[in-house]
Amino acid sequence: MAKNKDVRPPTFAVSVVGLSGTEKEKGNCGVGKSCLCNRYVRPDADGYYSEHTSVLSTIDFGGRVVNNDHFLYWGEVSQRGDDGLDCKIQVIEQTEFIDDQTFLPHRSTNLQPYTKRAAATKLQSAEKLMYICTDQLGLEQDFDQKQMPDGKLNIDGFVLCIDVSKGCNRKFDDQIKFVNSLYSQIVKSKKPIVVAATKCDECVDQYIRDLQAFVASKKNLLLIETSARSNVNVDLCFNALIQQLDKTRGKPKTVSYLEAYKIQRQLVASVTDRFEKLMVHTVRDYHITWKTVMNNMKGQADYDDFITLEGSRKARNMFTKHIAQLKQEHIKRRREEYLTTLPKTLNNLLSNLEEVEHLTWPEAQSVIRNRPDFQYWFVVLEHTPWDETDHINNSDRRIPFDLLDTHDGERIYHNHVQHLLSEKRRVEMKERFKKTLERVHFISPGQPWEEVMCFVMEDEAYKYITESDRRDVYCRHQQEIVERAKEDFQEMLFEHAELFYDLDLNATPSCDKMSEIHSVLNEEPRYRALQKLAPDRESLLLKHIGFVYHPTKETCLSGQNCVDLKVEQVLANRLVQLDHGRSNLYYNSANIDKINLCLLGKEGLSQELANEIRAQSTDDEYTLDGKIYELELLPVDVNSTMLFSHAWVNTFKPHGCFCVFNSIESLNCIGDCIGRIRAEIGQSRRDRFAQPLPFILILANQRDSVCKNIPILRHQGQQLANKLQCTFVDIPSGAFPRKFTEFQIKQGLRAVLEGLKHNFDVLAPLPCIKDMSEMDLRIVMCAMCWDPFSVDLILSPFLDSHCCSAGQPGQSNTLILDKIIGDSRRRIQVTILSYHSAIGVRKDELVHGYILVYSAKRKASMATLRAFLAEVQDVIPVQMVAITDSQADFFENDAIKELMTEGEHIATEIAAKFTALYSLSQYHRQTEVFTPFFNEVLEKKPSIESSFLFDSSSRDCTTGASEDVFPTSPHSHSPAYNTYYPESDDDNEAPPPYSPIGDDVQLLPTPSERPKYRIDLEGNEYPVHGTPGDHERNHKVPPPVRPKPVLSKPNVKKLDPNLLKTIEAGMRSNRRMPRGPMAHTEDVEASENYADPVDTLLRSRGFHNDDIYAVPDDTHGRLVKIRNSFGGLHGLHGGGEEENGFDRKSQAGRRPSKYKHRSKILFSKTKAYQRRFHSDSDGEESGPATQKKKKGRAHRGSEEDPLLSPADPWKSGIDNPAITSDPEQEDKKIKKKKTPKTPKEPKKPKSSKPPKPLYPPTRRTWESNYFGVPLQNLVTSERPIPLFIEKCVDYIERTGLTTEGLYRVSGNKTDQDNIQKQFDQDHNIDFVAMDVAVNAAAGALKAFFADLPNPLIPYNLHPELVEAAKIVDHIERLQVLREIVKKFPPVNYQVFKYIITHLNRVSQHSKTTLMTADNLSICFWPTLMRPDFENKDTLSTTKLNQAVIESFILQSDYFFHGGEVAESSSSEGTPPPHCHNMVEALLPLQLQLPPPLQPQQIQHTLPPDPLI
């Protein structure tokens, strides 16, 4: 050891020796000396070289690294021991270099043998460079160059290397001999020696044992098992030697190779695992390069540790594998994506099972490739397979077509075919199961699947399909039978039309009336069919009643099939609107010399026709029938947007349109296009002059080949021409080369000219025709909505006539006929309406005749006709029209025969006309079919107008429920007209269907007071302005329209002037008459209600006390007698009775009755329902008054329309004597008066009447100590909310906030009762464990409030809430409501706060539940407030009460939680403007009643007060 006196760390020189020499001596490889030195000096994997050769050239041997010496200088290693001491170790390897030429040792300065030379302790070699690897020899400048210090070294210790591996073509014993010789030389140096067993990773156990024996035989010799390749115990070997050199150092622990190798492998595995994770985390794109990754990972410990232990080569190999794996994963994902898309692709391209069922996969591929949308789904690559091309890198998601050649592609195809087969089978089985269900006739609408399942379980189809499919099919079947049952139920309601037409105009029918309706309908199987859907049935019934109350086309139950809408559409398309301010027509067919033609075709066909016409023309002039016409052509494609704007018509002004077609497709396009053009022209010229545009259909020749479709095209073209009422030009016989012939073009031009001539004749003003607004006759044609025939059929007698034109602007359902009736031309206005729209016309308008149409295939149509006809005055002529397909139906169908026979019998009884229209025949479609009827109407016109004037003078002109379908009369300038019928400022608003009666009922006022009064039903006038109580007592629910002023009655000027003078004189004398005394109803003779013949009107007559009519007196709820306004018109008609009480000889001279009193059929049908329900005693009646009533039964006067008559329903239900003049009704009331009844308590004043709850606590059928008890008994200070409410709300909010119709859809009544019963027994029940239906829990919660003795909102606060709801200002209204809520009792307040907060949360889920705050308030306000619906004030505040609850729900944070006012898109609870009495705020019936109507909500009939 060198003696260093400075503080520098000590330096030791170690010589590594071992077997060396020629191949003969050492074998074909060395013992591992160089590898051991390399691993120790440069332990990093990148610095370790496994190959170090000793065979050198002379040049390399003489280089600076070897330097002609047989030893190598490996360099210097700085080492820090475990004890913290530093030292430096210089490593020398003693070897023997062999000449690559002679394979003998190179000659050097030291010629001693290796054993002696290796044992030398002093080495010297000037400028010797540090050895790194074999590649360094000759290229020293490219490697790190370090010289051996001072050119000489003193060896301090030896490492003796012994190879224990197998092989190398040498014997281990020979090696031991050599080592023994070498050891004996080294020992002489007295330097410490460590034996290193090298290549232990390939060791032979025997060699190890032999070596151990050798070492054990020597004194102080240490054996270290090493492996330079695995880097095991290399440092330990040199450290052990250093410890022997420096005894101050701690002795290192000797570890066997296996243990050290295990530790090393664990270290390598850990480092490798961390590096792999780093690689996965860093490298995610297989396109990245190793250089980029290496730069990114440098400096990271996991990377550096792996490079140190395993080296860059292994790191790169791992990177390469990782990249390859990423690429394969990407390809796998793409393949899976393609294979996932392939079934969908096959479904689109090969969806037809019949096409692919028998195809092989290659054949199917061929079919796929020929599909037009093949390129959309697939891509064909130039190079295959696709996963080895750049296709994997692009974003094209189309499937590579070569993928279909794989096994997976074929497998998916076969799966697709099997899927189509199974789906076909599944569909077939579902249809079979559907037919099975259809054969099970006991399945009723609304029946649960569980009840039906057991009856079909043995069916083959049932067993094949899944439970989901079974339920789906059954649900579909249920939808069909429910829809069918509802349609049948609605049809049944129409068939019982007479049952509903005696209802009051009250928003809620009386309990007796509802009982009557249910009693009658309950006998119908179609009523009982909806037994399981009672709420829906009740809703349909109430909707129907609502329609009867408010019959308009908007509320029509047939929707878009309403006759009124269809008539408007047909007339808008086919009629010409006349412009009365424009007398000059813009063309005259007789003098026309220029024709503008629009050519309409598809795909260039119109341009070809234009070219053909120009080819036959000379300078755009065409010769036709000896006259030259200038032609201007406008070819247009059917797809052009220009056609659907009316601007081109105004600009081009076409005289006609040639429409050419050569295929079914082009013909269909032409048909659609013509319809849209006509609609556009009709819409744009609704109020201006417009001539119908002639359309000419022209069939083009197929010149390319003989077309077999020509007969089909000809037939279809002719049919379309007939449908569109236009001309069809066929292909002439014979062969010709062009698409269009001269014959076709001339035929088309002649048709255009003929159309122009026809239009000119129709539109030209005729001198003999009167002014447009002056009509000779006004006819109303009525038809039933939903009848099985088209509106075109009943309009065809008029529209097919040349004398038909449009009505006045604004009357979209009216047409005008110019016909010669009698001896001159007459102008007839025909208004086509539905029966429900005609009700108002029947009462309020002057109608000279009715054409009543019904379908002989539909009982409901006949029933509606009967109900309508029964209320028509019998002076108005009627034409009945039965509609069926053909005359053969009468003989082949008993139902049609019965309805046609009934129609004929009714017509015979009332002396009406009867005819039939056949949809399959053109014979009866001429206007002449109605000529006899028009003649009769014209003949009876004077008596009709006289009757109308008489009746209108005694009618409240504000009463009506239909639109004003007739125009204002032009004779309003007449003094007589203006006196009694002042002009209306607004005739377009429908009047409300009610007529409030004031407190003072008096005789006719003075002329100055007349504008303040209205005329009641019997000609008496009363003040218009009454107290607010008038509306409340009237108890009506009007539609949301303004009250209509007094209507202007048309054609009054035409009436008999003597009649006008007589009426005027009578009214003047009547005004001077003082108010007479009151009389009793029983003193009135029935026959006194008849009018005298016309010739008696001129006689002066006195007034009699018995000429009186009864009108209701709202002040005292009783009847008073008022003298008839036209006392002078009343006389005794003493003729004998004829059948049905009709004296035909005195028809013109009596007061008009109604047709129901002239027809046994109508009379019996109208009264049948009342006889079925009212079972009053038919005993003997006494008293002169009774006898007089019975005697005059058949001669009673006109009965007003129950739908349009005023009534006080809270006084006498539907039997109000104030509006009833029917003898049957009078007789019924007399019977009731004679029937002994139990004396009743006198009626208490309104203020003392106790409030009656909406839901009386009688719903439960069991005793309960929880339900039906006061709230204060159920709460405590610790639990302010009843436990039952908490459980219901908690369960509903957890499970029901996605339930559609929550709180609106009724739950099962049994389930609701079961919930309450279970809670009665155990307050700790769990609704979740019970599997309670959400709707049942909601119903049980509502039932809890319904069972309370008093409503949650106290009765004494209801008036304050109503008054608060009337406040217009939103913020002020909410503030007042909050103050009112504070007045609640504390218990009620807490529960109300809790339930309203819950409803607010429910409303926030309205997208799924469809229950907005408005809907929730409709369902909850009756439950929370429980108003008394028997009180006449209830319905006037219904909307306000609901609005109050809606405000509470919407603003719950503001009312109860100190929040701000919530923003709302709707002004909840805001009373409508002009709503002083809160009557106008109410909606029509069908929008007001909460469905379904509970029995407690039906108004009970109160007994009528005694007559005074």
Side-chain angles (χ1 to χ4, degrees), residues 1400-1415:
N1400 176 269
R1401 286 194 290 268
V1402 173
S1403 69
Q1404 294 173 13
H1405 295 78
S1406 59
K1407 288 186 177 180
T1408 54
T1409 64
L1410 303 183
M1411 295 302 291
T1412 61
D1414 178 60
N1415 293 338

Side-chain angles (χ1 to χ4, degrees), residues 22-30 167-170 199:
T22 63
E23 184 174 346
K24 178 180 177 181
E25 296 169 345
K26 67 174 183 177
N28 56 9
C29 64
C168 296
N169 196 21
R170 65 170 174 261
K199 303 183 184 180

Side-chain angles (χ1 to χ4, degrees), residues 131 137 245 271 312 403 501 517 564 637 652 663 866 907 966 969 972 977 1131 1212 1242 1383 1486 1498:
Y131 173 74
L137 302 179
L245 294 175
V271 170
S312 299
L403 181 68
Y501 273 67
I517 292 174
D564 299 320
D637 190 85
F652 184 65
S663 65
R866 287 196 310 261
F966 292 128
S969 172
S972 56
Y977 190 92
S1212 57
K1383 300 179 183 179
Q1486 61 272 25
I1498 300 176

